[in-house]
Amino acid sequence: MNPRPTAREQFLQSGYRLLGELDSTDLARSLSIADVVDGAGLSHQTFHNTYPGNSRSGGSGGKEAFVADLLDNLTVNYSGTIVPADPPTGWRDVAAPASALFDDLTSGLMRRRLIAALFAADHDGARKAVTAEFERLDNDFRTVVGQAIQAQGGSVRRPLSLTSLSTILTALLDGLAVRDMLAPGSVADSDVTDAATSILRWAIDPLHTDRSSPEPEEDDSLEVSDTLRPDLEGDVIAATEALFLDHGYFLVTLADIAAAARIRVDDLRRLFPSKVDIIVAALKPEFDRIFRLRRADERLGIEPALALQRTLIALGDFVIDNRAMSAGMLLALSFEQFQQPSTITTVMENLFLPSAVVPILERGRAAGVFSEEASVLEVAVMLTNNVLFRCLTRPTETSAQVATGVLRVLMPGVATRSD
């Protein structure tokens, strides 16, 4: 027989039960307006001018109006600084954003997240106010994890996806931050980095060989309104890039893309008959930018050797900034040319990389700067192919480093030999 609880234990149990039943309004009403006024450095009169009226007399002004305004404009003050400016160059750099986010969480962000989650659980205004910030942090961290995957040149091991992997890592950091709040100093930054590194090392498949799944079924719940989005093609491109990043080019089907973009397969085929068409739509605007920059150099009279270097750097930026799509383009050219010859035609007509440097080589030869030992097209193919391969196989190098490395090896054969 269990002993009868003491009066103290009964009071405590009742108190715990009441705490669990408190809603956001009850908690917010415990705020002291005097403390709010003092914290703002303003006067009580300014507060009452801002929130006129008196809730005690049955109105909706004063403290009640302030509480409603506070909840409707709740914020966690997420600064959005976890996405690094430069791409990661090694496993420590890959895990560094996780450590940086942990520092932000333990410096107050975790407490604000917990408070926001508590209020948003039972207040529509608070939920709408903080949802965007929660999603922003999740999207930023998803970008960080995506950069980590790109830096290692791999994809996510099944059954995980990029989204689920980033969610798991975020949840881990949240939990570690809560532990550190309860026992300050119990979690070291090095522990966070080591944990994130270990998880990423396991989760990233460098050979893109770990996925095998059936074709997704057609979603009968899709409505006509789903095809009336402001930029449906942009949504398809974004979904394709995320899938390529998760699973690699070969293991992604049009049905996968349609499901991820929430569009019927038949409608997707009307927009993009093949994966290659999606790649071209994604890369063509960025590729056109290289031509615009090259033409500007021509008009400004930039000497051919420097113009060639600048264009190869721009080409490197193009590949690095669109790594998943560029890798898909290369794989399509390399392995689908026998099964789908139209693949070659589509890519060559829209994304023929050598065409970016052919005019520079011709101009350099006319000026006697470049040699004529090989055809212009052959030299252009060698230069641009090497930039493409090096960008995709050396993810830690910048575009300038790639261009310098390629020119260091090939430029002696391009430039005119001096006597």
Side-chain angles (χ1 to χ4, degrees):
M1 178 180 295
N2 294 327
R4 180 182 179 84
T6 65
R8 174 177 173 273
E9 289 172 337
Q10 294 182 67
F11 284 136
L12 290 176
Q13 291 172 4
S14 176
Y16 291 145
R17 189 165 53 250
L18 289 172
L19 282 175
E21 293 172 356
L22 287 175
D23 63 17
S24 57
T25 303
D26 294 325
L27 291 173
R29 282 175 177 169
S30 68
L31 287 172
S32 165
I33 295 304
D35 290 339
V36 172
V37 169
D38 290 343
L42 300 173
S43 66
H44 282 266
Q45 185 60 52
T46 301
F47 176 85
H48 291 296
N49 290 340
T50 305
Y51 299 99
N54 189 338
S55 57
R56 293 180 181 176
S57 59
S60 59
K63 184 175 182 178
E64 185 178 80
F66 167 72
V67 168
D69 193 20
L70 175 66
L71 291 174
D72 287 340
N73 292 277
L74 195 63
T75 178
V76 297
N77 290 322
Y78 167 57
S79 62
T81 58
I82 64 172
V83 179
D86 299 319
T89 58
W91 280 111
R92 285 288 161 178
D93 285 348
V94 162
S99 181
L101 178 57
F102 177 74
D103 289 341
D104 286 348
L105 291 170
T106 53
S107 297
L109 179 59
M110 189 66 238
R111 181 181 180 87
R112 297 193 298 272
R113 277 168 68 85
L114 290 172
I115 293 172
L118 178 62
F119 286 170
D122 53 26
H123 191 281
D124 289 341
R127 186 180 304 112
K128 291 177 181 178
V130 299
T131 294
E133 284 188 277
F134 274 72
E135 290 179 348
R136 183 183 173 203
L137 191 151
D138 289 342
N139 289 336
D140 283 354
F141 201 71
R142 184 181 184 278
T143 298
V144 166
V145 176
Q147 289 177 344
I149 297 167
Q150 287 184 343
Q152 302 306 314
S155 58
V156 182
R157 294 188 187 278
R158 63 177 307 221
L160 294 175
S161 66
L162 174 59
T163 298
S164 63
L165 175 59
S166 61
T167 299
I168 289 168
L169 282 170
T170 305
L172 171 66
L173 295 176
D174 281 342
L176 292 175
V178 171
R179 169 63 64 87
D180 196 74
M181 286 174 61
L182 296 174
S186 60
V187 181
D189 285 350
S190 59
D191 294 335
V192 175
T193 300
D194 291 342
T197 300
S198 297
I199 292 173
L200 289 169
R201 281 183 182 274
W202 171 84
I204 296 175
D205 173 18
L207 300 178
H208 305 271
T209 59
D210 203 36
R211 182 182 182 239
S212 177
S213 61
E215 290 277 305
E217 297 181 359
E218 185 81 19
D219 189 349
D220 295 330
S221 67
L222 297 177
E223 300 181 0
V224 175
S225 60
D226 286 314
T227 62
L228 300 179
R229 283 170 273 172
D231 187 4
L232 183 56
E233 289 190 351
D235 292 343
V236 170
I237 290 171
T240 303
E241 186 170 15
L243 287 170
F244 283 176
L245 190 61
D246 274 0
H247 310 301
Y249 172 80
F250 288 118
L251 293 172
V252 173
T253 66
L254 286 179
D256 292 323
I257 296 169
R262 288 196 53 78
I263 181 176
R264 293 185 179 89
V265 175
D266 287 344
D267 290 334
L268 174 61
R269 290 186 183 278
R270 294 187 184 97
L271 292 175
F272 302 108
S274 70
K275 292 186 290 184
V276 169
D277 292 296
I278 301 175
I279 291 172
V280 168
L283 295 182
K284 187 65 164 62
E286 297 297 320
F287 188 50
D288 289 344
R289 176 178 177 273
I290 299 174
F291 285 83
R292 177 173 60 79
L293 296 176
R294 189 206 68 212
R295 288 192 295 267
D297 282 352
E298 290 176 0
R299 289 192 293 268
L300 293 172
I302 303 299
E303 60 95 10
L306 179 57
L308 178 62
Q309 181 185 32
R310 285 165 56 84
T311 298
L312 292 182
I313 290 174
L315 181 61
D317 286 333
F318 161 77
V319 176
I320 291 170
D321 292 343
N322 303 277
R323 195 183 301 274
M325 288 295 191
S326 296
M329 176 187 68
L330 177 61
L331 291 171
L333 285 173
S334 301
F335 298 102
E336 291 194 355
Q337 56 179 311
F338 301 109
Q339 297 181 3
Q340 297 184 8
S342 60
T343 293
I344 300 296
T345 303
T346 301
V347 174
M348 290 297 186
E349 288 179 350
N350 295 277
L351 300 171
F352 187 50
L353 303 189
S355 63
V357 299
V358 164
I360 302 174
L361 295 173
E362 292 175 339
R363 185 160 60 92
R365 289 190 175 186
V369 176
F370 296 152
S371 70
E372 299 183 5
E373 294 186 7
S375 70
V376 166
L377 182 58
E378 184 180 356
V379 174
V381 169
M382 292 178 66
L383 288 168
T384 54
N385 280 358
N386 275 276
V387 169
L388 173 62
F389 281 112
R390 188 157 180 149
C391 284
L392 293 177
T393 58
R394 300 195 181 188
T396 61
E397 289 190 358
T398 66
S399 58
Q401 290 171 328
V402 167
T404 299
V406 170
L407 288 174
R408 183 174 60 249
V409 175
L410 298 182
M411 197 61 181
V414 175
T416 301
R417 291 186 176 89
S418 58
D419 296 330

